[in-house]
Amino acid sequence: MQKVYKVKANDLDSHFLEELKATFRDREIEIVVSEVDELDLQNSEEIDEQEWLKAAASNPVFDFLKDPEEDIYTLSDGKPFNN
């Protein structure tokens, strides 16, 4: 399960922590904090392609693709794709 919270640091209180505890109960969780600028908050519903690609490239769920055994294609396979 994954949940994303966007809050101002000054708005964090014990209720926030209690909600986290109630949501995830006894499961181990990872908490990552990053600063969000005002422009990002205004456009939070829209994510551009570069942001999406950056998020996908840095997501650990795709780490298995770095394994040399997953690199099964060469430049001579298939035809080039041009827009």
Side-chain angles (χ1 to χ4, degrees), residues 19-31:
E19 181 182 341
L20 281 177
K21 290 165 77 174
T23 300
F24 294 99
R25 303 194 185 268
D26 292 328
R27 290 175 276 185
E28 183 174 341
I29 63 172
E30 176 182 36
I31 298 174

Side-chain angles (χ1 to χ4, degrees), residues 9-40:
N10 289 337
D11 293 337
L12 293 173
D13 58 15
S14 60
H15 297 289
F16 178 77
L17 184 57
E18 291 304 319
E19 181 182 341
L20 281 177
K21 290 165 77 174
T23 300
F24 294 99
R25 303 194 185 268
D26 292 328
R27 290 175 276 185
E28 183 174 341
I29 63 172
E30 176 182 36
I31 298 174
V32 177
V33 179
S34 61
E35 186 175 0
V36 179
D37 65 31
E38 289 298 319
L39 182 59
D40 286 344

Side-chain angles (χ1 to χ4, degrees), residues 30 55-64 66:
E30 176 182 36
S58 62
N59 191 321
V61 75
F62 298 114
D63 282 351
F64 74 95
K66 296 175 185 170

Side-chain angles (χ1 to χ4, degrees), residues 46-59:
E46 297 180 25
I47 182 169
D48 71 11
E49 185 176 3
Q50 286 302 107
E51 287 178 280
W52 189 92
L53 290 172
K54 182 179 175 184
S58 62
N59 191 321

